[in-house]
Amino acid sequence: MTVHIGLVEDDTNIQNIVSAYLKKEGYQTTILDNAEDGWKLWENNPPDMWILDIMLPGMDGYEFCKKIRNESDVPIIIISAKDEEIDKILGLELGGDDYLTKPFSPRELIARVKRLFKRSTSQRQDDVEEDRVKVDQLLVYKNERRVFFEGEEFETTTKEYDMLLLLAENPNRAFSREELLMKIWGNDYFGSDRAVDDLIKRIRKKMGNIPLETVWGFGYRLRKDEE
């Protein structure tokens, strides 16, 4: 997949040099002379990264950076002739991920682009991993509250989902019925621990081969096969 970079810069010389280096590295580049056109691009064909000058006609780069950051975590590299520490701090505080002072080496800019893409891609992967819990054939997506087993999605009640997530996040750990009552039903539940058995029975009926094991005289665990 081609990576799309939006370059907001009103200096044609810098436009030509930076876009040439980006193109050489395989990046698709859209050149814009002002932040207003940059915003139109964001609304219609949002880039995967912004390279942004600060001193622009009309809306300045600081304001544009702030607007983009209010909408997205897309990577932003600021390039500017402003080299005072306060300018760099302001750019970073408004949402810039990196700040490069003019004049700069195009090769250094490319190196920073690559580094920032690598970091943001790694972060997205981490976010995906944090969202899902996988134990063998059981897969739970936490943000969407969806459950899959052996490739098939299953509709679950609130407590069925909560039980499966708890067990999946703690594979091979044996939970007592009392623990499960407290964690799933809460401290203010005063019913029988048979509610746990009934819930486990419903899950097993739905999912058939799920390795949800009874620990006799104690409680239950979700078995994870050793790799």
Side-chain angles (χ1 to χ4, degrees):
M1 184 181 71
T2 303
V3 175
H4 181 202
I5 296 179
L7 172 61
V8 187
E9 168 63 65
D10 61 343
D11 185 315
T12 54
N13 186 45
I14 294 177
Q15 287 178 355
N16 294 334
I17 293 172
V18 171
S19 61
Y21 272 84
L22 290 171
K23 184 177 181 180
K24 184 179 178 182
E25 294 295 327
Y27 299 116
Q28 175 193 342
T29 308
T30 301
I31 300 172
L32 306 126
D33 296 315
N34 57 74
E36 286 78 9
D37 287 344
W39 188 252
K40 290 177 184 176
L41 177 67
W42 175 253
E43 292 181 320
N44 295 293
N45 183 25
D48 303 299
M49 174 184 283
W50 291 98
I51 298 175
L52 172 65
D53 188 18
I54 291 299
M55 292 182 285
L56 296 166
M59 185 195 312
D60 67 19
Y62 288 137
E63 182 63 25
F64 182 73
C65 180
K66 184 178 178 181
K67 286 188 69 172
I68 292 293
R69 188 54 75 229
N70 284 339
E71 299 234 341
S72 171
D73 290 326
V74 62
I76 300 173
I77 296 178
I78 295 172
I79 53 175
S80 177
K82 292 188 171 187
D83 58 358
E84 296 292 330
E85 183 179 16
I86 186 65
D87 298 311
K88 296 178 182 179
I89 292 172
L90 181 58
L92 296 173
E93 284 185 345
L94 288 174
D97 296 285
D98 204 347
Y99 193 108
L100 195 56
T101 303
K102 297 177 183 178
F104 55 83
S105 161
R107 289 187 178 88
E108 181 181 358
L109 175 61
I110 294 300
R112 295 193 185 203
V113 167
K114 290 180 177 179
R115 183 183 65 190
L116 191 51
F117 266 130
K118 184 177 180 181
R119 190 176 76 193
S120 62
T121 301
S122 175
Q123 181 61 52
R124 285 196 298 271
Q125 290 172 343
D126 290 343
D127 290 343
V128 169
E129 290 303 315
E130 288 176 7
D131 172 50
R132 69 177 204 165
V133 181
K134 189 175 188 302
V135 179
D136 298 329
Q137 295 299 309
L138 177 66
L139 180 59
V140 181
Y141 288 96
K142 294 192 285 187
N143 289 341
E144 299 175 0
R145 294 182 68 87
R146 298 172 71 189
V147 176
F148 294 79
F149 181 62
E150 295 182 334
E152 180 182 352
E153 184 171 7
F154 287 85
E155 293 293 328
T156 58
T157 66
T158 299
K159 285 191 167 45
E160 287 170 353
Y161 172 86
D162 291 343
M163 177 69 78
L164 285 166
L165 179 60
L166 174 65
L167 295 173
E169 288 183 324
N170 299 275
N172 294 326
R173 178 188 163 184
F175 285 90
S176 69
R177 288 178 175 82
E178 291 75 17
E179 278 184 287
L180 293 172
L181 271 177
M182 183 180 69
K183 291 180 180 294
I184 305 302
W185 279 264
N187 293 326
D188 55 351
Y189 179 77
F190 294 105
S192 165
D193 63 8
R194 291 292 301 173
V196 174
D197 299 328
D198 292 339
L199 182 58
I200 295 294
K201 188 183 298 182
R202 292 204 306 272
I203 292 172
R204 285 171 170 166
K205 185 176 180 180
K206 274 187 181 180
M207 299 187 182
N209 297 324
I210 188 169
L212 214 173
E213 298 180 336
T214 300
V215 181
W216 295 107
F218 185 74
Y220 298 94
R221 66 168 167 245
L222 181 68
R223 188 188 73 246
K224 180 179 181 181
D225 292 335
E226 297 297 329
E227 297 180 358

